[in-house]
Amino acid sequence: MRLSRTVLPTRYDLTIAPDLAAGRFEGSVHIAVEVTEPTDTIVLHAHELEVELEALEQFGAALDATLVADPDAERLTVSAADLAPGPATLTLRFSAALSAGLVGFYRSTYLDDDGTEHTLAATQFEAPHARRAFPCFDEPEFKAVFAVTLVVTDGLVALSNAPEVERVRLDGGRVRIRFGDTIAMSTYLVAFIVGELEVSQPIDVDGIPLRIAHVPGRGHLGAFALDAGAFALRFFTDYYGIPYPGTKLDLVALPDFAFGAMENLGCVTFRESLLLVDRDTVTQAEAAQAALTITHEIAHMWFGDLVTMKWWNGIWLNEAFATFMEHAGVDAYRADWKTWDDFSIGRAMAMDIDALSHTRAVEYEVRTPEDADGMFDILTYQKGGSVVRMLEQWLGSDAFRAGVRHYLDRYALANTETTDLWDALEAATDQPARRIMDSWIFQPGLPEIVVEPVDGGVRLRQHRFTYEGEADGQWSIPMLVRVHPGRETEAVLLDDETTIALPPNGIAVANAGGEGFYRVAYPPAWIPELVAAGADSPRERFALVDGAWAGVIAGRAQAADFVDLARRLESETDIVVWRALATRLRDLVRLLDGDAADAFREIVRTTARPAFDRLGWEPAPAEGPRDRQLRGVLIDLLGTVGRDPDIVARAQAFGDGAYTEPDIVAACITVSAAHGDQARFDEYRNRFETADTPQEQLRYLYALPVFPDRELALLAAEYAVSTVRPQNSPFVVQRALKHPEHGPQVWDYVREHWATIEARFPPTLLPRMYEGVTWLVDDASVESVPRFVADHPISQGERVVAQHLERQHLHRALYERERERFATSMVH
Ligand code: BES
Ligand code: ZN
C-alpha cells in the first residue's frame, strides 16, 4: 500500500491558478527527486485530477517517459527506460474542479451584508488529501521543501505556508504571487487559500509576524486570537527550547471547515467560532475553547510539523500530545481558568468509551490511510492526552519536558515512531516510560484499582473495568497515592499488586490529583472521608462523581445512590464537579415520568438552588471566570431539568436586555428555548441568521432543537438537513435526537431523509450526528436504530457509531433496571 522509497522528493515548485467563478483550478508542479537505486518507474499520488506529463529530466537530458494513471489506487506511474541513482526532475500539469466537499482544494461560500454570495478556495489535506490538489508523494515520511506560487485575480488575497516574496502583474487582470520556501515538511501540511479575505496588521512576536485572516467585516473579532496566539508562540518556543519552525504565522478563519482547526505550518486554518471572538459577549467556555484550539494548533508547529510521524499509525501521538500541550499552554496563559480541571470532562468521556466492548487500542496497525480515519476520535485525543498527562505528572514536569526537548531536537525535520518519544523520556528520567506507555497504548480498555483493607493498611490490585461482561488486561499504572491523615503523596508503579501502610483509621486516595486514567473501587464506608479528603481538589471530587455514575451504568449501583451522592455535594462550589452532576441529573430525568419525574425535578431544584443563590444574578465584582461559568451551568440545570419557575421567568425576560453577562445570556437562551413557542423559535432562527459573532450564531442555532413542541423539534431537524451549513448540521441533528421528549420522532425524520443527509453532511461528521441516538431507549428506536445503521454503512467512523449503539443498549438496560425502582424511590 505504501510508496517505495526508491524515489524521494526533495523539493516541489508548485504553481496553482484557481478560477473561483468557474469553480476550477489548474496548475503545474516541478518536483525535484533523488533516485536512490536504478529504476524505471516513479510512482506518486493524484486523486480526481487530470494530469499530463510535461517532462522528466535527469543529468540535463530529457528522458522518454510515459504517464499512466490508476484512479482506484489514487496513483500515477511515470515510466522511463533508465533512471539512474541521483537527482532527477519531474514536471506535471494538472487541472480539476474545486472540491465540493471540505477536503482537498475546496470551495467555500459566504454572504456579505447585502446578501451577495462570495466564493473562496481553501485547502484541507489531512489526511491524505494533498493528492486532490496536486500530484505528490502523499505520505508523511516524504518530507520536502515547498515553494508555492498562486496565480489569482488581482485584488484577491492569497495565503500559503510561507510569506509572499514576489508579486508580478500578468495580462488579463491576474497577478502571480510567489511565496518563500518552507522547511522540509510533509504534504499534509501544505496550505493555500484564495479569496476576498481581510488580513490584520501583523503583530511582532519576537521576530515572527502573527496575523489573523477572515472574510470581510470581522476584523474587530481578532484581538483575542492575536493575544492567545502570541502567548502560545512564546510559550512553546520556551517550552520546547527550539525556535518556531516557520517564518510567519497566519491564523485563518474559514466559513466552511470540516474539523475544528488544522495545523498547516505557518497558515493554520480554523472554523470561525474557534478563532473570531468578541471578548465582551463571549462566554467563559467559548473563550476557553477558542484559546485551547489556537494553542493546540500552535503546539503542532513543532510537535507534528517540525517532527512528524513516519506513518499514520502515529497520528494518535501527534494529536494526544497536542491535546496535552493545549492545556499546558492555556494553563500558563490564564491560570485562573483551571483548564486542567476542565480536562477531567474529556478524560471521563474517554474512560466511558474505554469501558465498552467496542473500544479499541489507542495505537493499532494502519495499512491504508482510511484505517487512520478511525483514529481521529475521543480515544486518540482524550485518552491519548490523558495518558500523556498521567505520565508527565508521574515523571515530574521538568523531567518530562527535558525528554520532549531531547526528542524534538534529535528528530527535527525528520520522522519518528511512537517509541522514539518514550525512549527519549527514558533517557531523561531513568524510568520505564516505554513499558508503561505500551501498556496503555497497545491494549484496549482501562483498569480499575481495587482498594482492600488488610492488616496495617490496604492492598491495591487491578483488573479491567467494563460495563458488561469481563475482559482481560493488565497495566503498568503510574499512580499518585495520598495517605490521610498526613497528606503525603507518593508515586507508585502498580503492576501486579502492592500494599500501602496506613495510620490507624487512615485512608488512601488512590488517584491523588485526579489525573489518573483509571477507576478506583474504594471500601464503600470511605466515601464521606474521600469527599472530605478531596476538599482541595475539584478533580478528585469529579472522579468520585464520575466513578459513581460509571457504577450506575455498570449496574453495580442504583440511580438512587447517585442522587444521594449528588445531594451530599450540595455545598459543592466548583464548576467541573457541577458539570458532571448536571450532565447525569439530566440523564436521570429520562428514566422517569409523571409524579416521579416531578419529584426528581424538585430534588434537582433543592440541590442546585442553594449553589445558585450563593452566586445570584448579579456577578460580584471580584468574581472569577469559573464562578461566572458556574452561574450559567446552574441556570441551565435549574431552568431545564429543574423547571424552576423563577429561573424560567427571568430567562424568558432576558431578551429585554436584563442581563448582559455572557454566561447568563447564553444560559437564558437555552432555558427560554426549552420553554419557548413557535414565535420564539422564529425569533431564534432569525437571530441565528443575523448574529454578530460566530459564537452567538451557534448559541441560537443549537437552541433550536430544544424547543418543547414536537413540530418545532422536527422543524429544527428539517432546517439542519436542508439549510444549515453542512459543517454545523450534524450537531443540530445530534441535539434534536437528544430531545428529552421527541428524540424518537426526530430519528424517524433522519431515516426518512437519509438520502439528503448522506449527500449533504461531511462524511467525517456523520458519527457526530449519530451521537444523538444514545438515549433513544423506547422500544421502537432500540429495534430500528441498530438495524438502520447495519443497512446503511457509512464510509468513516464506523467504530464510533458502534460505540454509540452500545451506549444506547446500555442506557436501555439501565432504563429497564431502574424504571420502577428509581420511580419508587422518588415518590417515597
Ligand atoms: N490535525 C487536526 C485536524 C484534523 C483532524 C485533520 C482530523 C484531519 C482529520 C488538528 O490539529 C486538530 O486536532 N483539530 C481539532 C481541534 C483541536 C483543538 C482538538 C479538531 O479539528 O477537532
Ligand atoms: Zn491536532
Side-chain angles (χ1 to χ4, degrees):
M1 296 305 297
R2 291 169 61 171
L3 298 181
S4 96
R5 307 211 19 101
T6 42
V7 179
L8 305 175
T10 56
R11 176 184 175 91
Y12 294 73
D13 284 279
L14 173 65
T15 301
I16 302 250
D19 180 340
L20 300 185
R24 293 193 62 81
F25 65 97
E26 55 181 36
S28 66
V29 64
H30 186 74
I31 311 176
V33 299
E34 188 67 29
V35 180
T36 60
E37 52 188 86
T39 182
D40 52 12
T41 54
I42 300 178
V43 181
L44 67 167
H45 292 106
H47 187 43
E48 292 179 1
L49 293 176
E50 291 193 35
V51 186
E52 274 170 48
L53 174 64
E54 187 161 300
L56 175 62
E57 291 164 295
Q58 195 170 38
F59 311 126
L63 303 186
D64 240 352
T66 57
L67 173 77
V68 176
D70 178 352
D72 290 339
E74 304 177 5
R75 284 180 181 196
L76 304 173
T77 302
V78 177
S79 306
D82 349 82
L83 274 164
T89 62
L90 174 65
T91 309
L92 300 160
R93 298 195 161 279
F94 52 92
S95 66
L98 288 171
S99 162
L102 299 176
V103 294
F105 192 23
Y106 71 91
R107 194 173 166 270
S108 166
T109 57
Y110 59 95
L111 302 180
D112 64 19
D113 289 343
D114 301 332
T116 311
E117 190 180 85
H118 297 258
T119 303
L120 60 83
T123 54
Q124 169 61 44
F125 290 166
E126 195 180 15
H129 302 297
R131 62 186 68 175
R132 292 169 178 268
F134 62 97
C136 56
F137 296 78
D138 201 10
E139 293 179 3
E141 199 174 356
F142 293 98
K143 285 195 171 187
V145 170
F146 291 85
V148 175
T149 298
L150 293 172
V151 177
V152 304
T153 306
D154 197 3
L156 294 183
V157 166
L159 302 170
S160 186
N161 304 90
E164 179 177 324
V165 293
E166 186 189 74
R167 178 176 278 255
V168 177
R169 208 166 280 278
L170 306 177
D171 292 343
R174 298 199 302 170
V175 285
R176 189 171 68 220
I177 301 170
R178 189 162 67 81
F179 300 90
D181 288 0
T182 67
I183 58 167
M185 65 178 199
S186 305
T187 47
Y188 80 90
L189 297 168
V190 174
F192 30 89
I193 298 155
V194 176
E196 293 163 76
L197 299 174
E198 270 175 24
V199 186
S200 72
Q201 286 301 313
I203 61 169
D204 174 41
V205 185
D206 306 332
I208 303 299
L210 173 69
R211 307 185 297 182
I212 54 149
H214 42 78
V215 302
R218 307 214 134 183
H220 61 293
L221 304 177
F224 177 86
L226 287 171
D227 192 58
F231 184 90
L233 257 183
R234 292 198 175 96
F235 175 80
F236 291 121
T237 304
D238 174 60
Y239 185 98
Y240 295 134
I242 297 176
Y244 171 66
T247 40
K248 59 94 178 169
L249 178 55
D250 291 330
L251 308 176
V252 186
L254 296 172
D256 295 286
F257 197 76
F259 307 105
M262 175 66 210
E263 69 269 29
N264 316 300
L265 181 65
C267 190
V268 180
T269 45
F270 295 82
R271 280 186 177 227
E272 292 186 331
S273 60
L274 296 173
L275 187 70
L276 303 176
V277 166
D278 176 1
R279 294 186 204 213
D280 295 335
T281 60
V282 75
T283 66
Q284 171 57 21
E286 291 160 349
Q289 213 198 349
L292 289 164
T293 307
I294 293 164
T295 307
H296 175 109
E297 304 309 336
I298 295 177
H300 274 311
M301 299 293 108
W302 290 259
F303 202 102
D305 293 7
L306 178 65
V307 177
T308 312
M309 63 277 161
K310 273 204 175 76
W311 180 243
W312 298 113
N313 66 313
I315 194 68
W316 77 265
L317 180 60
N318 196 29
E319 295 305 345
F321 192 86
T323 300
F324 163 79
M325 269 302 174
E326 79 193 41
H327 291 280
V330 172
D331 192 43
Y333 179 52
R334 292 283 186 267
D336 61 339
W337 289 3
K338 302 242 189 291
T339 180
W340 282 120
D341 289 357
D342 287 345
F343 186 56
S344 290
I345 306 235
R347 179 187 299 107
M349 281 160 50
M351 287 168 67
D352 179 42
I353 290 170
D354 228 7
L356 302 175
S357 66
H358 287 91
T359 189
R360 63 169 177 88
V362 170
E363 184 168 338
Y364 53 83
E365 194 191 350
V366 171
R367 288 174 190 282
T368 68
E370 290 73 52
D371 295 343
D373 287 332
M375 258 191 200
F376 290 97
D377 66 2
I378 287 175
L379 290 167
T380 278
Y381 283 84
Q382 273 73 30
K383 180 177 180 181
S386 296
V387 297
V388 170
R389 172 66 168 173
M390 176 167 67
L391 183 68
E392 184 232 25
Q393 290 292 288
W394 192 79
L395 293 175
S397 49
D398 290 343
F400 179 86
R401 178 170 62 178
V404 170
R405 286 181 173 193
H406 177 67
Y407 165 85
L408 291 175
D409 186 56
R410 166 142 186 223
Y411 298 105
L413 301 172
N415 297 79
T416 55
E417 305 277 4
T418 308
T419 46
D420 294 329
L421 179 61
W422 314 146
D423 293 348
L425 289 169
E426 293 205 350
T429 63
D430 244 351
Q431 295 288 344
R434 185 165 177 168
R435 174 166 71 83
I436 294 172
M437 291 308 267
D438 280 355
S439 81
W440 294 90
I441 293 319
F442 290 110
Q443 61 182 339
L446 80 168
E448 176 174 62
I449 295 171
V450 181
V451 179
E452 262 178 340
V454 291
D455 249 5
V458 280
R459 181 167 59 216
L460 307 181
R461 287 181 297 125
Q462 60 161 303
H463 59 219
R464 182 162 165 190
F465 179 86
T466 54
Y467 288 138
E468 274 183 340
E470 280 176 31
D472 294 339
Q474 199 192 350
W475 288 261
S476 282
I477 310 178
M479 300 177 65
L480 296 176
V481 179
R482 194 176 68 245
V483 169
H484 284 247
R487 308 183 136 257
E488 286 301 319
T489 299
E490 186 189 346
V492 175
L493 189 60
L494 179 67
D495 281 296
D496 293 320
E497 61 170 65
T498 192
T499 318
I500 308 262
L502 289 184
N505 297 319
I507 62 162
V509 178
N511 184 4
E515 297 195 288
F517 194 82
Y518 51 84
R519 299 201 180 280
V520 186
Y522 290 106
W526 283 18
I527 298 297
E529 283 169 87
L530 287 162
V531 172
D536 300 330
S537 174
R539 293 192 300 256
E540 289 180 9
R541 300 197 298 280
F542 178 97
L544 290 176
V545 172
D546 187 55
W549 179 257
V552 173
I553 298 288
R556 293 191 202 165
Q558 301 193 7
D561 302 335
F562 184 87
V563 174
D564 285 345
L565 177 66
R567 296 170 100 165
R568 198 190 299 281
L569 289 166
E570 81 184 331
S571 58
E572 178 60 53
T573 55
D574 191 83
I575 171 74
V576 80
V577 184
W578 267 113
R579 280 174 71 188
L581 290 170
T583 305
R584 298 322 172 194
L585 295 172
R586 202 180 293 281
D587 289 343
L588 284 173
V589 74
R590 293 173 181 274
L591 304 175
L592 303 169
D593 49 29
D595 292 348
D598 291 343
F600 178 76
R601 292 183 199 280
E602 160 114 45
I603 291 178
V604 170
R605 291 196 294 276
T606 52
T607 308
R609 188 74 210 206
F612 176 75
D613 289 339
R614 275 195 296 276
L615 296 168
W617 285 95
E618 285 305 318
E623 184 175 275
R626 296 179 68 76
D627 279 345
R628 256 193 332 268
Q629 185 182 357
L630 176 58
R631 179 183 292 105
V633 167
L634 293 170
I635 290 173
D636 187 338
L637 175 66
L638 284 163
T640 56
V641 184
R643 298 188 179 165
D644 181 309
D646 164 53
I647 299 266
V648 173
R650 295 223 197 189
Q652 285 173 328
F654 96 93
D656 309 333
Y659 305 108
T660 52
E661 206 290 302
D663 278 277
I664 296 182
V665 171
C668 287
I669 290 173
T670 312
V671 171
S672 62
H675 299 275
D677 56 10
Q678 171 91 45
R680 181 77 82 182
F681 184 95
D682 294 341
E683 176 200 332
Y684 276 20
R685 185 161 55 178
N686 186 258
R687 284 181 181 244
F688 159 65
E689 285 167 1
T690 57
D692 288 330
T693 72
Q695 295 77 22
E696 207 189 332
Q697 213 178 2
L698 290 181
R699 281 182 219 156
Y700 287 110
L701 177 63
Y702 292 157
L704 296 180
V706 309
F707 280 79
D709 291 353
R710 176 178 299 187
E711 297 72 46
L712 296 179
L714 291 171
L715 199 54
E718 187 205 305
Y719 186 56
V721 169
S722 65
T723 311
V724 172
R725 271 181 203 277
Q727 66 166 14
N728 296 330
S729 304
F731 299 96
V732 180
V733 177
Q734 179 205 100
R735 284 169 167 75
L737 287 166
K738 286 183 180 165
H739 193 287
E741 278 92 37
H742 313 308
Q745 287 73 37
V746 173
W747 168 248
D748 291 339
Y749 181 89
V750 166
R751 282 195 297 169
E752 282 154 26
H753 295 81
W754 182 248
T756 319
I757 290 175
E758 222 185 359
R760 246 186 118 243
F761 289 19
T764 48
L765 295 182
L766 284 176
R768 306 306 293 272
M769 183 200 78
Y770 270 122
E771 201 180 317
V773 306
T774 55
W775 274 104
L776 295 178
V777 296
D778 60 295
D779 293 346
S781 304
V782 160
E783 192 264 330
S784 109
V785 175
R787 190 158 41 83
F788 184 84
V789 168
D791 292 345
H792 299 80
I794 54 171
S795 63
Q796 283 172 43
E798 277 185 302
R799 181 185 296 276
V800 170
V801 175
Q803 290 162 356
H804 296 326
L805 296 185
E806 189 176 346
R807 285 160 71 209
Q808 181 195 24
H809 154 80
L810 288 166
H811 289 157
R812 167 71 183 202
L814 173 68
Y815 177 65
E816 285 174 4
R817 275 199 307 277
E818 292 285 355
R819 192 165 28 185
E820 279 170 32
R821 91 179 164 203
F822 188 35
T824 313
S825 79
M826 280 300 120
V827 287
H828 283 94

